[in-house]
Amino acid sequence: MSETTETIFSKIIRREIPADIVYEDDLVLSFKDIQPQAPVHILVIPKKPIRKLDNAESQDHSLMGHLLLTVKRVAEQAGLKNGYRVVINNGDDAGQTVHHLHIHILGGRQMKWPPG
Ligand code: 5GP
């Protein structure tokens, strides 16, 4: 794997560093955020090291759909019956800090709008 795609999330996928994993299959991994911003804060990532949403390609069509359906599954599993927020930080202006595509699931409290 090249330097440009190696991140802390690659290490979590390879079990080189621990994470509180809540769901896994061949294509995706989901684990609790280490610095939760809500009572429930879970990340869903593709195992394929796509740096950010902008780097997803047409060949990733079904993977992207699978990611969103995994969000729904994980949110249900976490008991978020009253709703939740789904966030993708894409690039610097959005404040993306880990350069491996990830979807945030935030829930367990009332969210505000607009986000900061
Ligand atoms: P971003 O700001 O890039 O959208 O989100 C990255 C998220 O990854 C942050 O919410 C941050 O707390 C989380 N994070 C960073 N490093 C780790 C880690 O080693 N383990 C876990 N579980 N989450 C991490």
Side-chain angles (χ1 to χ4, degrees):
M1 199 175 287
S2 74
E3 275 178 22
T4 54
T5 54
E6 178 65 22
T7 68
I8 195 95
F9 291 174
S10 312
K11 292 186 168 67
I12 289 175
I13 292 167
R14 295 198 301 267
R15 305 297 202 274
E16 289 171 11
I17 63 166
D20 195 342
I21 293 169
V22 299
Y23 177 78
E24 178 173 29
D25 63 27
D26 289 348
L27 297 174
V28 304
L29 186 68
S30 180
F31 49 92
K32 294 184 182 173
D33 197 290
I34 204 167
Q35 217 176 332
Q37 302 301 316
V40 176
H41 188 173
I42 298 171
L43 304 174
V44 180
I45 69 171
K47 289 186 172 176
K48 180 179 176 180
I50 299 168
R51 282 180 64 81
K52 57 181 175 173
L53 184 60
D54 279 352
N55 295 108
E57 297 173 329
S58 54
Q59 68 202 36
D60 301 314
H61 184 97
S62 74
L63 174 60
M64 301 306 285
H66 185 56
L67 277 170
L68 269 186
L69 289 172
T70 302
V71 165
K72 179 186 138 178
R73 168 195 277 242
V74 167
E76 190 176 354
Q77 187 180 294
L80 296 174
K81 290 188 170 58
N82 208 36
Y84 52 92
R85 181 159 292 164
V86 178
V87 173
I88 298 176
N89 291 323
N90 179 71
D92 292 340
D93 276 5
Q96 183 177 359
T97 58
V98 178
H99 299 293
H100 182 127
L101 174 62
H102 51 280
I103 303 179
H104 296 258
I105 302 171
L106 294 147
R109 67 168 167 81
Q110 181 62 53
M111 299 292 150
K112 297 188 176 78
W113 192 262

